[in-house]
Amino acid sequence: MTQQSKPVVTVLTAPGEQQPPGMDALKARAEVRFACDEQTLRDTLPGTDVMMVTDFRTEALEAAWPCADKLQWIHATSAGVDALMFPGLIESDVVVTNARGIFDRTIAEYVLCTILMFAKDFPNSIRLQHRHEWKHRDTERAEGKQVLVVGAGSIGRQIGRLVRAAGLQPHGIARTPRHDDPDFVAVHGNDDLFNQLPHYDFVVIAAPLTPQTEGLFDHKAFKAMRNSARLINIGRGPIVKTDDLIVALEEGEIAGAGLDVFEEEPLPKGHPLWDMENVIMTAHMAGDFIGWKRALTDQFLENFDLWHKGRDLFNLVDKRLGYAGSK
């Protein structure tokens, strides 16, 4: 960034969403514009140098893309950038960064919690408590259980590290296999997924949504898993074919599912997943901790400072792959 005038930053939020906290620090250094839909984005994009996108489901940017006449860099305040990976942006010279690192630890805590809830049968304990019913049961030991983390990136690495500390045995799935990884027993290649699925007690989806992962967990995948296995999805909803998952749960092809993300969000009130006793669900909140919105702004401001000085940005997204590589 070598211009003498203030750069223009457009912040794209979801309709009805409040402005991100901490924007005053940015307003002192840039002209800040706000948009919340296609029309307001068409009005604000001309002359914009940088975008900060907080709406990870947005379709407005693709629709308004012809108005981006000066855009150099887009920062997504989410780990997933699938909504931004449309052809016009992919083919352009615009740089994309994401929020890699902000949610890693809290998502790993969520995964470990879900594993322990299944092992210790907490969903049934809560139901029994609500019915004021005293019922002793034996539960599983978590120690020694085999965990497959599909997507061994920064979030997957934290999951592997945390569950290993709790005595479980994590393996990973990634583009490149490796057998000397400090956080996994081993990391297997993507092509080895279906050979690996039969060997694990818990299968955790931590992969980004890309054309290669969309619908990856379908009837074939559930058939390959152990009947006693539980699926945990903290990645993206469309990686799992919901109808196939419901059949697998109803027919005992897998023993349970812990779901934080869904093909359709919010999940409709009449959806069959709500009433399945072998399902634990949350509302796309696995990584959200108290203060997370300010942490996202602070991360963007750190990168903005680098951009303003003409230095390399961190958390660069490989637009062809659809996710950020290693730092």
Side-chain angles (χ1 to χ4, degrees):
M1 172 64 200
T2 59
Q3 293 174 248
Q4 297 301 312
S5 59
K6 282 186 176 182
V8 177
V9 179
T10 290
V11 180
L12 175 61
T13 64
E17 180 185 358
Q18 293 184 343
Q19 295 181 11
M23 283 288 102
D24 287 346
L26 181 62
K27 290 175 182 177
R29 306 178 61 188
E31 177 189 335
V32 182
R33 304 171 180 175
F34 292 92
C36 63
D37 55 23
E38 179 186 341
Q39 186 54 57
T40 54
L41 191 56
R42 286 183 180 274
D43 294 338
T44 56
L45 263 182
T48 293
D49 300 291
V50 176
M51 281 192 68
M52 176 182 179
V53 180
T54 69
D55 182 4
F56 64 87
R57 298 185 182 92
T58 187
E59 297 177 354
L61 182 57
E62 182 175 9
W65 186 246
C67 299
D69 56 351
K70 288 184 60 183
L71 195 60
Q72 300 176 41
W73 165 39
I74 297 173
H75 177 75
T77 61
S78 57
V81 293
D82 45 277
L84 301 180
M85 293 298 103
F86 55 89
L89 175 54
I90 293 172
E91 298 296 333
S92 75
D93 293 329
V94 176
V95 172
V96 179
T97 58
N98 74 346
R100 177 186 171 114
I102 295 292
F103 302 110
D104 296 6
R105 176 69 185 195
T106 46
I107 289 177
E109 292 171 356
Y110 175 98
V111 170
L112 178 58
C113 173
T114 304
I115 289 172
L116 294 175
M117 286 181 71
F118 275 124
K120 300 307 173 187
D121 199 27
F122 256 72
N124 275 326
S125 293
I126 293 169
R127 282 188 283 267
L128 290 167
Q129 179 183 348
H130 286 166
R131 297 199 298 262
H132 298 189
E133 185 176 344
W134 182 278
K135 184 177 180 182
H136 179 273
R137 293 105 62 222
D138 295 335
T139 60
E140 304 168 35
R141 294 185 64 173
E143 184 180 17
K145 295 286 188 183
Q146 302 293 315
V147 180
L148 183 66
V149 182
V150 182
S154 63
I155 293 173
R157 179 172 299 284
Q158 282 287 344
I159 293 168
R161 188 174 300 165
L162 196 56
V163 302
R164 196 168 198 175
L168 293 95
Q169 299 297 307
H171 289 239
I173 293 286
R175 278 200 312 144
T176 305
R178 50 189 186 267
H179 297 281
D180 56 352
D181 192 289
D183 298 312
F184 294 95
V185 176
V187 175
H188 311 276
N190 289 337
D191 293 343
D192 203 24
L193 173 63
F194 284 89
N195 292 327
Q196 291 297 320
L197 284 175
H199 305 301
Y200 296 91
D201 303 293
F202 295 93
V203 176
V204 182
I205 300 173
L209 179 60
T210 67
Q212 291 72 39
T213 62
E214 185 170 4
L216 180 63
F217 277 79
D218 57 6
H219 176 70
K220 179 183 176 183
F222 301 130
K223 279 285 190 183
M225 292 169 61
R226 292 179 177 177
N227 292 344
S228 59
R230 280 84 167 216
L231 177 77
I232 299 173
N233 188 8
I234 51 81
R236 281 288 188 261
I239 296 175
V240 175
K241 290 189 174 180
T242 307
D243 291 343
D244 290 1
L245 173 62
I246 291 170
V247 171
L249 291 166
E250 289 177 339
E251 297 187 357
E253 291 174 358
I254 64 173
L259 306 172
D260 184 58
V261 290
F262 304 86
E263 284 189 283
E264 182 179 2
E265 296 182 7
L267 193 69
K269 289 188 176 181
H271 199 281
L273 284 172
W274 286 111
D275 296 316
M276 301 187 80
E277 293 195 355
N278 54 351
V279 173
I280 299 171
M281 294 194 306
T282 50
H284 204 139
M285 54 186 277
D288 296 348
F289 55 91
I290 296 170
W292 64 273
K293 290 185 178 181
R294 181 55 192 258
L296 289 172
T297 300
D298 290 344
Q299 184 188 54
F300 169 73
L301 291 174
E302 183 181 354
N303 235 352
F304 180 82
D305 186 58
L306 295 174
W307 176 82
H308 198 268
K309 294 175 180 177
R311 296 169 59 185
D312 292 339
L313 301 175
F314 60 85
N315 286 6
L316 286 171
V317 170
D318 184 324
K319 293 188 291 183
R320 297 292 175 185
L321 296 177
Y323 52 86
S326 300
K327 293 182 180 179

